[in-house]
Amino acid sequence: MKIFCIGRNYVAHAKELGNEVPDEPVIFMKPKSALLQAHTPFYYPEFTNELHYECELVLRICKNGKYIQDRYASKYYDAVTVGIDFTARDIQKELKEKGLPWEKAKSWDNSAVIGKWINLADIKNKKEINFKLLKNKETVQEGNSANMIFNFDSIVAHISNYFSVNIGDLIFTGTPAGVGECVVGDELEGYMDNASLFNIEIK
């Protein structure tokens, strides 16, 4: 199982981190060990002093494919949820300044959280999916899939030009503006539309 992540997929988020708006999807990956398993507590990593949440819509791949055309891409994913791409921001800044890869900041064990899956067939408007993240019961991030620079189909098609997509792979589709720091004791709850799909506490 592979975890693909798309960076800088909302204009406001790219700007808030001082990044250029990309002209094609920015892809990075997390290993299988990055996925926080259900009913497993999330512990603040000992190697960072600046842990950031990044709430995103996540797709589940349901069909094996390679070199997928945009018009057929919707056949390759069947469910969506909301998740968190946890980032050690202090480490990421150091790595970016040196022009080095991000894995130490993005791909560590349990750095990927996902919620309960919602079948796409049960979503009325797949092009305008609202989602949000609450920290300690207060909304800190809000997004809508209509505001993505690259939509679900174009993301799947682009990834498949470089990597085979396989049943069970996950795609984190990018975070909107509003990313921020979290500390031990914080409660993070992810919503898609009005449904709460995950709830974790930073331990």
Side-chain angles (χ1 to χ4, degrees), residues 41 46 60-61 71 95 105 109 125-126 129 168 181-182:
E46 71 279 0
R60 183 179 69 192
I61 297 295
R71 58 180 171 166
L95 294 169
D109 291 356
N125 190 346
K126 302 174 183 63
I129 301 174
E181 191 170 1
C182 47

Side-chain angles (χ1 to χ4, degrees), residues 18-168:
N19 295 318
E20 295 182 2
V21 176
D23 54 11
E24 65 177 39
V26 176
I27 303 171
F28 62 96
M29 297 176 72
K30 292 176 180 267
K32 183 178 179 180
S33 57
L35 187 64
L36 182 71
Q37 298 300 315
H39 311 299
T40 300
F42 178 87
Y43 292 100
Y44 195 108
E46 71 279 0
F47 48 78
T48 180
N49 294 308
E50 192 180 359
L51 179 67
H52 278 207
Y53 53 78
E54 296 189 11
C55 185
E56 326 199 354
L57 291 173
V58 185
L59 302 179
R60 183 179 69 192
I61 297 295
C62 64
K63 184 178 178 181
N64 297 332
K66 178 77 172 170
Y67 300 118
I68 301 163
Q69 296 180 36
D70 278 41
R71 58 180 171 166
Y72 300 125
S74 63
K75 299 179 185 297
Y76 289 81
Y77 56 94
D78 65 351
V80 64
T81 189
V82 66
I84 297 179
D85 163 25
F86 275 113
T87 303
R89 190 71 71 199
D90 49 353
I91 294 177
Q92 186 188 37
K93 288 177 182 175
E94 291 175 9
L95 294 169
K96 286 172 68 176
E97 287 172 0
K98 296 176 182 177
L100 297 174
W102 296 353
E103 276 79 3
K104 285 167 59 177
K106 287 276 193 181
S107 304
W108 33 274
D109 291 356
N110 300 328
S111 61
V113 173
I114 59 171
K116 176 184 175 184
W117 291 106
I118 305 296
N119 290 326
L120 278 169
D122 297 330
I123 298 175
K124 292 181 181 179
N125 190 346
K126 302 174 183 63
K127 294 182 179 180
E128 294 188 17
I129 301 174
N130 290 299
F131 64 103
K132 63 182 178 181
L133 180 70
L134 275 60
K135 184 174 80 167
N136 304 326
K137 307 298 185 184
E138 293 187 5
T139 301
V140 289
Q141 270 192 289
E142 291 184 278
N144 186 295
S145 59
N147 296 324
M148 290 179 169
I149 300 170
F150 307 103
N151 63 26
F152 293 160
D153 290 354
S154 62
I155 288 170
V156 171
H158 185 76
I159 287 173
S160 76
N161 288 331
Y162 301 89
F163 310 93
S164 297
V165 296
N166 300 109
I167 296 169

Side-chain angles (χ1 to χ4, degrees), residues 163-178:
F163 310 93
S164 297
V165 296
N166 300 109
I167 296 169
D169 287 350
L170 307 181
I171 302 175
F172 281 67
T173 60
T175 193

